[in-house]
Amino acid sequence: MPKPGQPLPLFGFFRRLLGRDRAFRQAITTITGHAPDNVYLYRLAFTHSSVVRQQGEQARHQSNERLEFLGDAVLGTAVAEYLFRKFPYEQEGFLTEMRSRIVNRESLNVIALKTGLDKLVQLDAAQGRAARSRSVNGNALEALVGAVYLDHGYKTARKFVLNRLLKPYVDVKAMTQTTTNFKSKLIEWAQRNGKNMRYELTGEARPGGVMEFSAVVVVDEEEVATGMGLSKKQAEQLAAERALAALGV
Amino acid sequence: MPKPGQPLPLFGFFRRLLGRDRAFRQAITTITGHAPDNVYLYRLAFTHSSVVRQQGEQARHQSNERLEFLGDAVLGTAVAEYLFRKFPYEQEGFLTEMRSRIVNRESLNVIALKTGLDKLVQLDAAQGRAARSRSVNGNALEALVGAVYLDHGYKTARKFVLNRLLKPYVDVKAMTQTTTNFKSKLIEWAQRNGKNMRYELTGEARPGGVMEFSAVVVVDEEEVATGMGLSKKQAEQLAAERALAALGV
């Protein structure tokens, strides 16, 4: 018999269970910014297929693979809208390339590690190390986006993606510059070929207090291409890209 | 001078303009199930790049290509969730294949024609016929989904996709029956016949950093067939196909 004042063993069991659950809920809240309603979804999001595979192939729908399929789509949509609004003068090809740079396997793995969610992923110990080395964490991140979507709806999932993943961990600006730096490519071309080149910039105020810039690439006093953007750099970058195309460089 | 009682010519102009606009709004409401707030988005959704290309490459962001990029993502997410809920025991591979059957170019073109939106698409007359024969209408449909998303939000866009496109025009049930998903076929066979089945997977690194996977189908502890591929899924799918042949299913 336990001494008076000591909790019964059974209470200890429930308390440990609750404690474990509370810690998991707390971790999810920290990562996603929203407390989970349906904890099962999040447990599923962190269940790698190696854990359920011992129960045979037919148990595989109890792993995170289905949620990953859903989360991949939600993530893609949130990032698509973000890019669509951020780059109003860029064409579809630019948006597509930027998105694939943001949501590719490697990039997702890096983001996943930064959120610390790798500590929550459930793997079969036997396959653990091999599986861990591949895209387990990135996949779990996608599954987590799927779980938030099912638990709280699109708006919350979108907020999670933008405020907790994209803005803190992805340097979109640097990404546009490394994409291919058309401006320096154009300058190099001009120097190599003894051409005189400059940008002519104009800015115009748009309704809503937005400035719209327009850059014209002028090579040997001839207008070659024009680009527009919400910053001077964006306009010049776009103009340079088009000039390179027009010049056949 | 117009006779008394006759409207001034200018009023006629505005009335025709308004009438045209009203007819367009009505058409959008009929197709999407929601009256447009921001008509500009819908005009953009139906503007093929051939129309703006005369104004030069820099005007191309005024065509529907960017909205198509966004709408493609929204459409993919709505269909992903639909399939996720409709087939709770199917694996990710099945869901992926079903979705690509639903949202592929051809399928979207067919749906677009059924909604009648082809009559709203603005094309450059010169390129008209050639362009029309390609995926112009399917692309405009994706752009329309993007327009609804920006105009009314995700929930309304999702409703449009499910209630106005998927349910009336896509026979999902028939599609599952024609799908040659060997993996799910094999699982069904095992479940029907009370067999225990699983895949044994091994991966090997090949020169050039490529992983090659090998999957063995094991039924009641007996190896039935083997498949190889550059992804686990590919290897399993091939192994399943061969197992079905070996088992005479």
Side-chain angles (χ1 to χ4, degrees), chain B residues 6-198:
Chain B
Q6 246 192 355
L8 292 167
L10 201 60
F11 282 125
F13 169 75
F14 280 121
R15 194 194 292 149
R16 275 197 305 281
L17 196 72
L18 271 172
R20 189 172 145 256
D21 202 57
R22 199 185 295 148
F24 182 71
R25 280 173 173 276
Q26 189 50 57
I28 297 299
T29 309
T30 305
I31 293 172
T32 69
H34 286 82
D37 278 345
N38 182 353
V39 178
Y40 166 74
L41 288 169
Y42 300 86
R43 294 252 180 238
L44 190 62
F46 291 116
T47 303
H48 186 255
S49 57
S50 60
V51 177
V52 296
R53 206 164 289 163
Q54 299 124 314
Q55 301 160 42
E57 187 61 18
Q58 59 268 44
R60 201 155 155 194
H61 65 270
Q62 291 159 17
S63 81
N64 65 3
E65 291 178 339
R66 287 165 43 85
L67 273 179
E68 185 197 329
F69 163 75
L70 182 60
D72 170 78
V74 174
L75 181 66
T77 300
V79 173
E81 185 196 350
Y82 171 83
L83 294 171
F84 183 95
R85 291 186 191 276
K86 191 176 178 73
F87 300 104
Y89 298 104
E90 294 288 356
Q91 291 171 23
E92 177 271 333
F94 173 91
L95 303 177
T96 301
E97 194 186 328
M98 281 294 291
R99 183 173 60 175
S100 80
R101 277 168 175 251
I102 293 170
V103 301
N104 69 44
R105 283 275 148 263
E106 252 171 86
S107 162
L108 289 182
N109 270 328
V110 170
I111 298 172
L113 288 177
K114 285 182 179 165
T115 66
L117 68 72
D118 52 306
K119 291 165 202 77
L120 301 174
V121 176
Q122 302 291 312
L123 281 171
D124 179 33
Q127 308 188 27
R129 204 165 313 164
R132 179 69 76 180
S133 68
R134 293 195 307 273
S135 43
V136 171
N137 296 320
N139 294 350
L141 179 59
E142 288 185 322
L144 179 58
V145 173
V148 173
Y149 174 79
L150 290 180
D151 197 23
H152 295 299
Y154 178 74
K155 267 193 189 171
T156 303
R158 178 176 168 274
K159 253 195 250 170
F160 165 42
V161 170
L162 298 187
N163 300 338
R164 300 280 173 148
L165 304 177
L166 194 65
K167 287 173 190 167
Y169 301 129
V170 181
D171 191 343
V172 174
K173 206 177 165 186
M175 226 173 235
T176 58
Q177 282 153 359
T178 58
T179 311
T180 47
N181 191 328
F182 299 111
K183 283 182 65 183
S184 36
K185 230 176 168 176
L186 184 59
I187 291 169
E188 278 164 30
W189 171 86
Q191 286 173 340
R192 253 200 328 275
N193 295 280
K195 305 279 189 188
N196 191 314
M197 76 131 294
R198 65 171 200 278

